[in-house]
Amino acid sequence: MKNRREHTAPPAWPLRLFTWYCGSQAVEDLAGDMEELFYQDLVHMPVHRARWNYTRRTVVLLFSYAARKRRQYHRESYYAQRGANGFFLLNSYFKIGMRNLVKDRFFTLVNVLGLGIGMCVGLLALAAWVDVTEVDDFHTNGDHIYRVVTHYDDGNQERVYASTTAPLAGKIRQEFTGIRQVVPFQGEFGGEVIQPTGAFVPLRGYYTAPSFFDVFDFPLVAGNALSALEKPFSIALTQSSAHKLFGEQDPIGQQLEVKDMGSFEVTAVIKDYPRSHLFFEALVSYNTLAVLQRDGDPAFTLDAWEPISDYYTYLLLDPGKDPAEVEAQLAKVADTQFSSLTAKLDYKLQALNTIPKSDHYNEIGLAWGYLAMTVFFMLSLLILLPACFNYTNISIGRSLKRAKEIGLRKVAGGQNRHIFMQFLMETVIISIFSLFLATGLFMWMRVEWLSMIVEGSRTFDLQITWPTAIAFLLFAVFTGLAAGIFPALYFSKLNPIETLRNASNTGKLSKVNTRKGLTVAQFALSLVFIMGVAILIKQYRYALNYDMGFQSENILDIPLGSVDPDLFRTEFSKLAAVRSISMSSSIPGSWEASSTWVKSSEEGDSIEIYQMFTDQHYLSNLELTLLAGAGFSQQPAQAAQSVIVNEQFLRDFAIASPGEALGQAFLVEDQQLVVQGVVKDFNHMPLREKIKGFFFRYQPGRFALANVRLASTDIQRTLTELESTWQAVAPGQKFEPRFLDDELEKGFVAITYMVKVFGFLGLLAVSISCLGLLAMVVFTTESRAKEMGIRKVLGASVAQVVVILSGGFVKLVGIATLIAVPIGYFLFDKVFLRFHHYRAGIGLVEIVSSIVVLLLLSLLTIGSRTFVIARENPVESLRSE
Amino acid sequence: MKGFIGEFEELVLLTIACLGEEAYGVAIKENIEWRADRKVSIGALHSTITRLEEKGFIKSWLGGATRERGGRRKRYFELTHSGKAALHSIKTLRDDLWQNAKVNLEMNYEK
């Protein structure tokens, strides 16, 4: 027995595992117990059983509460006294963190700048998001308000429309149970209010029923909520639109003359409302629609179950009513109404508080859904991530400096956990400092951004409120954690013996490849942005100089208002500065042109054709090229029967040559129109769109603009002359001439916005990349200062030293260029410019100039530091040891 | 319910009391196994001991080096005052219940 005992030992690995897990000091007694039990087992069972029992027990003990507790205790027993609480530690981390940051000012500055720049776009996105979540949170009944939305599925695509059919509201009101109120909307009230002075003021809003004020909390400043929207042609104005229209006068009871619609009586003034997804300047009584429909305006189809546009239905449910029950009733209505359609339509309810975020089609007011938000947040990440990389990069780059400190801390009993927290704390402090910088940038960006989104200005004010401030702070802390987690992990894992023994610490430079990779990625991103700017500017200039096929110089478009076109012509022709005059219904090269459906015969398919109404002088006035036939006849009756088509029209109807088309008749709006002439294709829509089938028609009633071609170059004098003539022709009416050139330029405003956005993002990306590069250069040159000193002593010139120091970095930028150019080319050529039918393409000039800009900036960054080191007296670096 | 202890905890506390100066891991395990005729896992025992120590019912110290355990020291346990108090309170509760039982709890096999 004794013999056996001496030669048998328990298996070694369970104990090793156990002590590794718990810490060897803490489990001496447990290990002893286990061994004792093993030898007891050995007395009455075979060796393998005893070993198996031993292993089993160790594993059980490993997972026991005892082991967990010992492990914890072991970790804490050295460093933090057990009495020290979390706050004490946090306080100490903070203090030491601040000292470190103050000690290394360059590092702090670079990081605060970098993270601050990186965060500002994120702040904008956050502030916008906070604003969106506050939409419609002021309704007392908010929890019970629902909107009926229409699900549409035709097999190919599924869509959810925010709108419903018009008769639904009435049906719900009569037949449904559990509904307290129904609010119908027609979303398309819009018109020009004719002021007593003759000026036109645009006004837009909704048609809605008196129940509106019952369901939603829009308080009235004046007027009676019960009756304000009762009678046809009553209108309720918001405070600001009332002020716009009437100034200081009392608006109640006043008449508003709306062009082409009639006279409305102002019955109420609504207090300017906080954020709502509804966006209106005026509310018009719903009963007006019935009158307009009776008058034969086809735009108002109150009884048709067919189109799902324009009409919206909101419900206020009885408290406690289950929306699912209402949906069941709605399903029945949908079944009976839409049974004849091939597509599947279905009504569903949508809670009020989810409305602006839902990405539905045909949204009544503000649409700011998850899609827009996602794009926004992606962009902010695109800027933020490089800044975080920078931090990681720079911190790990500093490991040379701080490794010793960490080694000492560890020897003195600092645990991984403590080092980790220490570094994380430093990052969070930096990110909070950056928040101040970012907020500053945000305040400036806010103004620019708000100016770009016109409709949003009611919803977004992007003021810093408490919720936004808290969101910002959380964002900063989160950014700090994201940026700091890798350096913190890295430093906490450093081996104290290694760091203390070996000052040069070469092994730790294994991270260099990752750092280089990150730098390359940053510069690639920057280059893509710079390329974007260059390409967009080219597109912009291309669009400006593009020959749209008609004369746009020196043409002044004057809105006719109520002036008779013939009178205008006779009066203005008398002026010497006027070369020629024509009339048109819209501006070419804009979105304004209307379209209609055209058939070649009764049985033929309808084709959508864009149209403009012009007089006989239009073609010559705008120098459009006639390919065949002639312009409109001087006889109005004959002219009204004819059209002048473009080449695309011929292609649409498969007519081989212009000559063939002449005299052919087409069915337009139940009317036979004969082709009188064929013009060469010109861009009747903005350059983003392809030239579509198009024709000119003659209907003097539709003329809205006089196109005055000026002969004189003295614009100022001509304008005064024109204005005085205008005063004679149309006393009291506003003279609002617009140059055709300027109007066309407005079509490119989207591009200028894009240039702004790309330019700004590019600037941010470039600054972040350069800051990162600068820091890397600084740390590398510092650590190689001695080497350079020796090189100089041995006879290297300043230039040689600079090349040696800079070479690596220039190579990185070079690699970034190689990566970014194809990506940028693909992105802009295949994706972005797809939105522009007539596009400039991407030339070598844009690519080369972008690369040059990037190279110059990075060379400047690198050179600023390497030159200093290279010029330094070698004695300086070699003397100190 | 102040100072609640479970059945196994009570068993461990009482066994520590029984063992006196010799109360260490293996001894406690064997004593319980012998008396109560039940298998006790060393992991469960040490977890319970750790909990009792946290609750302040026992305290421990390390003994001297031993030969039979590869030189490893034993950790001995003894009851603290609050440990004794906990045992007392549970005993009082039991006694009280026994005395007030309405059913005859005597097991008289002769009947």
Side-chain angles (χ1 to χ4, degrees):
Chain A
M1 186 60 64
K2 198 156 191 231
N3 201 15
R4 196 176 162 198
R5 184 177 172 134
E6 272 165 13
H7 290 284
T8 334
W13 68 265
L15 187 66
R16 268 212 291 274
L17 180 75
F18 190 61
T19 45
W20 167 79
Y21 177 73
C22 298
S24 58
Q25 315 300 312
V27 292
E28 186 186 344
D29 54 323
L30 296 183
D33 280 1
M34 233 108 64
E35 194 166 322
E36 199 178 327
L37 286 173
F38 171 75
Y39 286 115
Q40 276 178 17
D41 278 353
L42 215 53
V43 178
H44 51 85
M45 58 178 73
V47 179
H48 71 269
R49 282 281 304 278
R51 283 190 167 150
W52 164 242
N53 273 346
Y54 178 84
T55 311
R56 192 173 48 82
R57 275 192 214 110
T58 320
V59 173
V60 168
L61 204 54
L62 190 69
F63 289 106
S64 73
Y65 182 71
R68 207 163 71 224
K69 239 15 221 197
R70 300 249 174 147
R71 182 168 180 240
Q72 237 172 34
Y73 181 75
H74 171 71
R75 272 194 326 223
E76 281 166 2
S77 56
Y78 288 93
Y79 183 63
Q81 295 76 14
R82 300 198 77 197
N85 54 25
F87 177 74
F88 169 80
L89 277 180
L90 214 62
N91 203 6
S92 140
Y93 295 148
F94 180 77
K95 203 180 273 175
I96 294 169
M98 283 303 279
R99 282 180 196 157
N100 277 327
L101 296 183
V102 171
K103 203 167 73 186
D104 204 340
R105 289 198 192 87
F106 175 73
F107 167 79
T108 313
L109 190 71
V110 165
N111 281 318
V112 167
L113 279 178
L115 285 178
I117 294 170
M119 273 163 33
C120 62
V121 184
L123 292 190
L124 195 63
L126 262 184
W129 184 241
V130 169
D131 277 6
V132 169
T133 55
E134 281 174 1
V135 161
D136 283 309
D137 61 357
F138 57 92
H139 304 292
T140 27
N141 294 324
D143 294 342
H144 308 297
I145 301 176
Y146 289 83
R147 174 167 77 180
V148 183
V149 297
T150 313
H151 281 243
Y152 171 90
D153 183 4
D154 67 356
N156 290 324
Q157 50 179 342
E158 271 180 67
R159 287 178 165 190
V160 183
Y161 287 91
S163 46
T164 58
T165 50
L168 182 68
K171 198 159 179 80
I172 293 175
R173 200 179 289 127
Q174 286 156 17
E175 296 176 10
F176 283 31
T177 55
I179 311 282
R180 195 189 280 178
Q181 279 292 5
V182 181
V183 191
F185 281 98
Q186 205 272 17
E188 291 287 306
F189 171 73
E192 311 250 303
V193 176
I194 305 170
Q195 291 280 71
T197 56
F200 294 95
V201 178
L203 192 67
R204 44 180 291 202
Y206 309 131
Y207 297 92
T208 188
S211 53
F212 175 86
F213 293 112
D214 222 7
V215 172
F216 300 102
D217 289 24
F218 289 100
L220 292 184
V221 179
N224 182 344
L226 286 177
S227 62
L229 296 175
E230 194 60 58
K231 275 187 269 170
F233 293 97
S234 325
I235 191 168
L237 299 171
T238 60
Q239 257 177 325
S240 46
S241 50
H243 190 262
K244 188 169 73 179
L245 291 167
F246 297 105
E248 297 305 317
Q249 273 175 286
D250 181 18
I252 299 289
Q254 301 265 17
Q255 292 292 322
L256 270 187
E257 194 62 35
V258 180
K259 194 181 169 195
D260 298 336
M261 292 183 88
S263 177
F264 292 81
E265 188 192 343
V266 181
T267 50
V269 178
I270 305 163
K271 195 165 185 279
D272 276 335
Y273 50 89
R275 295 192 188 101
S276 171
H277 77 285
L278 298 166
F279 177 75
F280 56 88
E281 293 167 323
L283 295 174
V284 178
S285 61
Y286 203 71
N287 293 334
T288 316
L289 288 171
V291 178
L292 289 171
Q293 188 190 18
R294 230 176 295 133
D295 290 351
D297 194 327
F300 305 104
T301 46
L302 281 173
D303 331 307
W305 285 90
E306 186 74 51
I308 354 164
S309 55
D310 298 348
Y311 291 90
Y312 302 84
T313 312
Y314 287 68
L315 308 177
L316 174 61
L317 304 193
D318 280 334
K321 176 82 179 173
D322 184 5
E325 286 173 41
V326 181
E327 281 190 338
Q329 300 182 58
L330 282 168
K332 269 184 228 145
V333 176
D335 277 349
T336 49
Q337 296 303 337
F338 300 128
S339 53
S340 61
L341 299 178
T342 44
K344 207 175 130 32
L345 275 89
D346 219 348
Y347 291 127
K348 289 272 181 299
L349 287 187
Q350 181 189 16
L352 178 72
N353 57 13
T354 65
I355 285 181
K357 297 163 228 155
S358 54
D359 282 319
H360 288 175
Y361 283 87
N362 223 352
E363 188 58 68
I364 184 166
L366 174 81
W368 188 255
Y370 287 111
L371 193 68
M373 243 14 249
T374 314
V375 172
F376 210 161
F377 274 115
M378 292 297 263
L379 271 182
S380 20
L381 270 190
L382 211 56
I383 298 296
L384 182 62
L385 282 183
C388 289
F389 288 160
N390 255 351
Y391 184 87
T392 309
N393 236 347
I394 299 173
S395 301
I396 294 178
R398 278 203 320 165
S399 63
L400 286 180
K401 269 191 173 175
R402 296 200 66 177
K404 270 221 166 99
E405 172 203 332
I406 292 152
L408 260 178
R409 272 170 182 282
K410 285 202 166 182
V411 169
Q415 296 298 305
N416 288 1
R417 202 157 54 101
H418 299 129
I419 310 262
F420 180 79
M421 285 305 290
Q422 173 71 60
F423 275 87
L424 222 49
M425 181 55 111
E426 277 178 33
T427 325
V428 171
I429 296 173
I430 285 193
S431 68
I432 301 235
F433 278 128
S434 320
L435 182 62
F436 290 105
L437 176 71
T439 312
L441 282 170
F442 161 78
M443 300 297 270
W444 172 74
M445 280 163 66
R446 198 180 74 178
V447 184
E448 288 286 313
W449 190 70
L450 284 178
S451 73
M452 280 193 218
I453 46 162
V454 185
E455 288 207 10
S457 54
R458 269 230 45 92
T459 311
F460 301 109
D461 57 7
L462 304 183
Q463 292 299 339
I464 299 181
T465 54
W466 276 112
T468 352
I470 291 166
F472 280 14
L473 201 65
L474 283 178
F475 179 65
V477 171
F478 171 78
T479 308
L481 293 182
I485 193 133
F486 283 108
L489 275 176
Y490 171 74
F491 283 118
S492 66
K493 292 254 163 66
L494 282 185
N495 182 344
I497 298 174
E498 286 282 305
T499 56
L500 290 177
R501 183 173 54 194
N502 188 356
S504 66
N505 203 359
T506 43
K508 295 294 169 265
L509 291 176
S510 58
K511 300 269 171 178
V512 156
N513 277 337
T514 342
R515 287 165 54 200
K516 281 182 181 165
L518 293 178
T519 310
V520 168
Q522 283 175 358
F523 272 91
L525 182 69
S526 308
L527 187 57
V528 170
F529 278 121
I530 299 176
M531 276 173 72
V533 176
I535 290 165
L536 283 168
I537 290 177
K538 187 179 181 196
Q539 174 71 23
Y540 181 64
R541 283 163 64 187
Y542 170 82
L544 269 188
N545 297 324
Y546 187 83
D547 179 13
M548 297 184 79
F550 56 85
Q551 177 62 253
S552 61
E553 246 173 89
N554 272 339
I555 290 187
L556 201 57
D557 285 319
I558 303 170
L560 283 169
S562 55
V563 175
D564 179 56
D566 289 331
L567 176 68
F568 185 95
R569 175 186 306 287
T570 20
E571 287 304 314
F572 278 80
S573 308
K574 292 175 189 161
L575 296 175
V578 174
R579 209 159 107 188
S580 52
I581 296 173
S582 64
M583 301 291 158
S584 67
S585 58
S586 61
I587 293 173
S590 73
W591 299 106
E592 285 175 22
S594 57
S595 67
T596 186
W597 294 92
V598 176
K599 285 194 264 192
S600 54
S601 62
E602 250 344 306
E603 303 81 45
D605 282 339
S606 287
I607 293 179
E608 190 182 20
I609 297 294
Y610 288 80
Q611 60 181 357
M612 195 196 280
F613 299 92
T614 59
D615 66 356
Q616 298 87 345
H617 309 281
Y618 192 78
L619 298 185
S620 57
N621 199 15
L622 267 79
E623 293 180 9
L624 288 155
T625 322
L626 261 178
L627 295 176
F632 286 121
S633 150
Q634 295 299 331
Q635 256 74 48
Q638 202 183 335
Q641 298 293 317
S642 52
V643 289
I644 296 167
V645 302
N646 72 349
E647 290 172 281
Q648 183 59 38
F649 182 94
L650 302 186
R651 280 190 283 275
D652 284 349
F653 285 97
I655 299 168
S657 74
E660 250 174 74
L662 294 181
Q664 282 201 31
F666 289 91
L667 256 176
V668 186
E669 295 158 11
D670 300 328
Q671 211 184 342
Q672 286 272 356
L673 296 180
V674 178
V675 175
Q676 168 84 13
V678 179
V679 288
K680 202 165 178 286
D681 274 345
F682 68 100
N683 292 88
H684 56 92
M685 284 205 282
L687 286 178
R688 278 165 65 176
E689 291 297 318
K690 197 169 169 275
I691 295 174
K692 305 273 173 58
F694 177 89
F695 54 40
F696 290 110
R697 290 166 70 183
Y698 180 85
Q699 270 182 30
R702 303 285 291 258
F703 294 162
L705 298 166
N707 328 113
V708 178
R709 186 151 175 204
L710 305 176
S712 155
T713 45
D714 186 354
I715 301 296
Q716 210 45 53
R717 231 188 73 203
T718 316
L719 279 179
T720 9
E721 265 181 47
L722 288 172
E723 183 154 15
S724 58
T725 315
W726 174 262
Q727 292 305 343
V729 174
Q733 290 196 34
K734 236 186 180 166
F735 181 63
E736 288 172 318
R738 298 174 290 178
F739 275 101
L740 184 52
D741 272 345
D742 297 343
E743 290 300 305
L744 291 180
E745 224 167 292
K746 275 188 202 159
F748 319 138
V749 77
I751 306 185
T752 52
Y753 284 160
M754 293 293 278
V755 170
K756 258 190 186 174
V757 169
F758 267 80
F760 183 67
L761 291 180
L763 189 69
L764 296 186
V766 171
S767 331
I768 290 169
S769 318
C770 285
L771 278 173
L773 185 64
L774 179 68
M776 244 174 106
V777 172
V778 167
F779 293 125
T780 314
T781 46
E782 259 173 26
S783 60
R784 291 178 73 181
K786 268 205 179 106
E787 177 198 336
M788 294 306 137
I790 293 169
R791 281 178 190 275
K792 283 190 84 176
V793 169
L794 294 179
S797 69
V798 171
Q800 277 170 322
V801 171
V802 169
V803 168
I804 288 166
L805 280 175
S806 319
F809 298 109
V810 176
K811 218 185 288 170
L812 291 187
V813 179
I815 295 170
T817 313
L818 286 183
I819 295 174
V821 169
I823 293 178
Y825 186 85
F826 177 80
L827 191 70
F828 291 109
D829 189 56
K830 293 282 177 288
V831 185
F832 181 71
L833 288 178
R834 267 294 131 89
F835 296 117
H836 296 266
H837 186 77
Y838 299 94
R839 53 179 185 263
I842 301 167
L844 206 57
V845 184
E846 285 73 44
I847 295 177
V848 171
S849 58
S850 319
I851 295 174
V852 167
V853 169
L854 186 79
L855 274 183
L856 273 182
L857 283 172
S858 49
L859 282 181
L860 215 66
T861 313
I862 299 168
S864 69
R865 202 54 214 166
T866 47
F867 260 106
V868 175
I869 293 284
R871 290 171 62 95
E872 210 168 62
N873 189 343
V875 175
E876 297 293 326
S877 57
L878 292 177
R879 181 172 53 191
S880 65
E881 181 57 284
Chain B
M1 194 183 281
K2 210 181 118 202
F4 171 79
I5 48 174
E7 182 265 348
F8 190 62
E9 286 178 325
E10 186 188 358
L11 203 57
V12 172
L13 280 179
L14 287 170
T15 310
I16 290 173
C18 286
L19 287 169
E21 300 270 282
E22 278 305 313
Y24 74 99
V26 177
I28 299 170
K29 171 175 144 67
E30 281 177 345
N31 205 278
I32 296 177
E33 282 176 350
W34 169 66
R35 262 186 228 278
D37 192 24
R38 66 195 240 185
K39 272 271 163 219
V40 175
S41 125
I42 190 84
L45 176 66
H46 273 296
S47 296
T48 307
I49 287 177
T50 311
R51 282 209 176 81
L52 286 171
E53 202 170 0
E54 268 173 21
K55 289 179 183 172
F57 292 153
I58 53 176
K59 59 185 178 195
S60 67
W61 74 92
L62 283 173
T66 51
R67 244 181 68 77
E68 65 271 25
R69 291 156 61 104
R72 294 190 187 86
R73 290 173 295 177
K74 289 175 183 168
R75 182 175 291 276
Y76 292 102
F77 302 97
E78 77 177 324
L79 294 188
T80 61
H81 178 73
S82 60
K84 287 174 194 162
L87 282 175
H88 264 287
S89 78
I90 200 142
K91 182 164 188 299
T92 327
L93 174 68
R94 289 227 167 106
D95 289 348
D96 192 38
L97 287 169
W98 276 92
Q99 269 164 24
N100 289 312
K102 294 277 191 300
V103 178
N104 186 10
L105 287 169
E106 294 294 319
M107 297 236 270
N108 205 339
Y109 295 106
E110 282 159 29
K111 225 173 217 177

